[in-house]
Structure formats: structure tokens, C-alpha cells
Coordinates of all heavy atoms in Angstrom, one line a residue:
R1226 N 55.8 35.3 59.9 CA 56.0 34.2 60.7 C 54.6 33.5 60.9 O 53.7 34.2 61.0 CB 56.5 34.7 62.2 CG 57.7 35.7 62.1 CD 59.0 35.2 61.6 NE 60.0 36.0 61.6 CZ 60.6 36.5 60.4 NH1 60.2 36.2 59.3 NH2 61.6 37.5 60.6
V1227 N 54.7 32.2 60.9 CA 53.3 31.5 61.0 C 53.4 30.7 62.4 O 54.4 29.8 62.5 CB 53.2 30.5 59.9 CG1 52.1 29.6 60.0 CG2 53.1 31.4 58.6
L1228 N 52.5 30.9 63.2 CA 52.3 30.2 64.4 C 51.5 28.8 64.2 O 50.3 29.0 63.8 CB 51.6 31.0 65.5 CG 51.5 30.5 66.8 CD1 52.8 30.4 67.5 CD2 50.6 31.4 67.8
M1229 N 52.1 27.8 64.5 CA 51.4 26.6 64.3 C 50.7 26.0 65.6 O 51.3 26.0 66.6 CB 52.3 25.5 63.7 CG 53.0 25.7 62.4 SD 54.2 24.6 61.9 CE 53.2 23.1 61.5
C1230 N 49.4 25.8 65.4 CA 48.6 25.5 66.7 C 47.6 24.3 66.5 O 47.3 24.0 65.3 CB 47.9 26.6 67.1 SG 48.8 28.2 67.2
W1231 N 47.1 23.9 67.6 CA 45.9 23.1 67.7 C 44.9 24.1 68.1 O 45.0 24.7 69.2 CB 46.0 22.0 68.6 CG 44.7 21.2 68.8 CD1 43.8 21.5 69.8 CD2 44.2 20.1 68.0 NE1 42.6 20.7 69.6 CE2 42.9 19.8 68.6 CE3 44.6 19.4 66.9 CZ2 42.1 18.8 68.1 CZ3 43.8 18.4 66.4 CH2 42.6 18.1 67.1
C1232 N 43.7 24.2 67.5 CA 42.7 25.3 67.6 C 41.6 24.5 68.4 O 40.9 23.6 67.7 CB 42.3 25.9 66.2 SG 41.0 27.0 66.6
E1233 N 41.2 25.0 69.5 CA 40.1 24.5 70.2 C 38.8 24.7 69.6 O 37.8 23.9 69.6 CB 40.1 25.0 71.7 CG 41.3 24.4 72.6 CD 41.1 24.7 74.0 OE1 40.2 25.5 74.4 OE2 41.9 24.3 74.8
L1234 N 38.7 25.9 69.0 CA 37.4 26.2 68.3 C 37.0 25.4 67.1 O 35.9 24.9 66.8 CB 37.5 27.7 67.8 CG 36.4 28.3 67.0 CD1 35.0 28.4 68.0 CD2 36.8 29.6 66.5
R1235 N 38.1 25.1 66.4 CA 37.9 24.2 65.2 C 38.2 22.7 65.4 O 37.8 21.9 64.6 CB 38.8 24.7 64.1 CG 38.6 26.1 63.6 CD 37.2 26.4 63.2 NE 36.9 27.8 62.7 CZ 35.9 28.4 62.6 NH1 34.7 27.7 63.0 NH2 35.8 29.6 62.2
G1236 N 38.8 22.4 66.6 CA 39.0 21.0 66.9 C 40.0 20.4 65.9 O 39.9 19.1 65.5
G1237 N 41.1 21.1 65.4 CA 42.0 20.6 64.5 C 43.3 21.5 64.4 O 43.3 22.6 65.1
F1238 N 44.2 21.2 63.6 CA 45.3 22.0 63.5 C 45.1 23.2 62.5 O 44.4 23.1 61.6 CB 46.5 21.1 62.8 CG 47.1 20.0 63.5 CD1 46.7 18.7 63.4 CD2 47.9 20.4 64.6 CE1 47.2 17.7 64.1 CE2 48.3 19.3 65.5 CZ 48.0 17.9 65.2
R1239 N 45.5 24.3 62.9 CA 45.4 25.6 62.3 C 46.6 26.4 62.4 O 47.5 26.3 63.4 CB 44.3 26.4 62.8 CG 42.9 25.8 62.7 CD 42.4 25.7 61.2 NE 41.2 25.3 61.0 CZ 40.7 24.0 60.8 NH1 41.7 23.0 61.1 NH2 39.5 23.7 60.7
N1240 N 47.0 27.2 61.3 CA 48.2 28.0 61.3 C 47.8 29.5 61.2 O 46.9 29.8 60.3 CB 49.0 27.6 60.1 CG 49.3 26.1 60.0 OD1 49.7 25.6 61.1 ND2 49.1 25.5 59.0
F1241 N 48.6 30.3 61.9 CA 48.1 31.7 62.0 C 49.3 32.5 61.6 O 50.3 32.5 62.3 CB 47.6 32.0 63.5 CG 46.5 31.2 63.8 CD1 46.6 30.0 64.6 CD2 45.1 31.7 63.6 CE1 45.5 29.2 64.9 CE2 44.0 30.8 63.9 CZ 44.2 29.7 64.6
R1242 N 49.2 33.5 60.8 CA 50.2 34.4 60.5 C 50.4 35.4 61.6 O 49.3 36.0 62.1 CB 49.8 35.2 59.2 CG 50.2 34.5 58.0 CD 49.8 35.3 56.6 NE 50.3 36.7 56.7 CZ 50.4 37.5 55.6 NH1 50.2 36.9 54.5 NH2 50.7 38.7 55.7
S1243 N 51.5 35.5 62.2 CA 51.6 36.4 63.3 C 51.3 37.9 63.1 O 50.9 38.6 64.1 CB 53.1 36.4 63.8 OG 54.1 36.8 62.9
D1244 N 51.4 38.4 61.9 CA 51.1 39.8 61.6 C 49.6 40.0 61.5 O 49.1 41.1 61.5 CB 51.7 40.2 60.2 CG 51.4 39.4 59.1 OD1 51.6 38.2 59.1 OD2 50.6 40.0 58.2
R1245 N 48.8 38.8 61.6 CA 47.4 38.9 61.7 C 46.8 38.6 63.1 O 45.5 38.6 63.1 CB 46.8 38.1 60.5 CG 47.0 38.6 59.2 CD 46.4 37.8 58.1 NE 46.6 38.4 56.8 CZ 46.7 37.6 55.6 NH1 46.4 36.4 55.7 NH2 46.8 38.2 54.5
I1246 N 47.7 38.3 64.0 CA 47.2 38.1 65.4 C 47.1 39.5 66.0 O 48.2 40.2 66.1 CB 48.2 37.2 66.1 CG1 48.2 35.8 65.5 CG2 47.7 37.1 67.6 CD1 49.2 34.9 66.1
T1247 N 46.0 40.0 66.3 CA 45.8 41.3 66.9 C 45.9 41.5 68.3 O 46.2 42.6 68.9 CB 44.5 41.9 66.4 OG1 43.4 41.0 66.8 CG2 44.4 42.0 64.9
D1248 N 45.8 40.4 69.0 CA 45.9 40.3 70.4 C 46.3 38.8 70.8 O 45.8 37.9 70.2 CB 44.6 40.9 71.1 CG 44.9 41.0 72.6 OD1 46.0 41.6 73.0 OD2 44.0 40.7 73.4
A1249 N 47.0 38.7 72.0 CA 47.3 37.5 72.5 C 47.5 37.4 74.1 O 48.1 38.4 74.5 CB 48.6 36.8 71.9
E1250 N 47.1 36.5 74.7 CA 47.1 36.4 76.1 C 47.6 35.0 76.5 O 47.0 34.0 76.1 CB 45.7 36.7 76.7 CG 45.8 36.5 78.3 CD 44.4 36.5 79.0 OE1 43.4 36.8 78.2 OE2 44.3 36.5 80.1
L1251 N 48.7 34.9 77.3 CA 49.2 33.7 77.7 C 48.3 33.1 78.9 O 48.4 33.9 79.9 CB 50.7 33.8 78.0 CG 51.5 32.6 78.5 CD1 51.6 31.6 77.3 CD2 52.9 32.9 78.9
L1252 N 47.7 32.0 78.6 CA 46.9 31.5 79.8 C 47.7 30.7 80.7 O 48.8 30.2 80.5 CB 45.8 30.6 79.2 CG 44.9 31.4 78.1 CD1 43.8 30.4 77.6 CD2 44.3 32.6 78.8
G1253 N 47.3 30.5 81.9 CA 47.9 29.8 83.1 C 47.9 28.3 82.9 O 48.5 27.5 83.7

């Protein structure tokens, strides 16, 4: 599964494989 995102660190679109996401926190 690939999570499609806008990444604040890179200032652009980035895609992340869900099996390589080691931790996630839903912000308010």
C-alpha cells in the first residue's frame, strides 16, 4: 500500500510505502 502525501519536510509530493512507515501519529 502506498500513502500519497504532501511532505512538509521536502515541500512537495512524496509517496510512502505503508510497510516502511515505522510509526505514525494523527495530529489535531
Side-chain angles (χ1 to χ4, degrees):
R1226 314 296 182 245
V1227 175
L1228 187 67
M1229 300 179 67
C1230 307
W1231 174 270
C1232 176
E1233 291 187 355
L1234 177 65
R1235 302 305 184 195
F1238 292 106
R1239 294 293 187 272
N1240 305 312
F1241 302 92
R1242 281 178 45 161
S1243 62
D1244 59 298
R1245 289 180 177 158
I1246 299 175
T1247 58
D1248 189 42
E1250 177 188 359
L1251 185 63
L1252 303 180

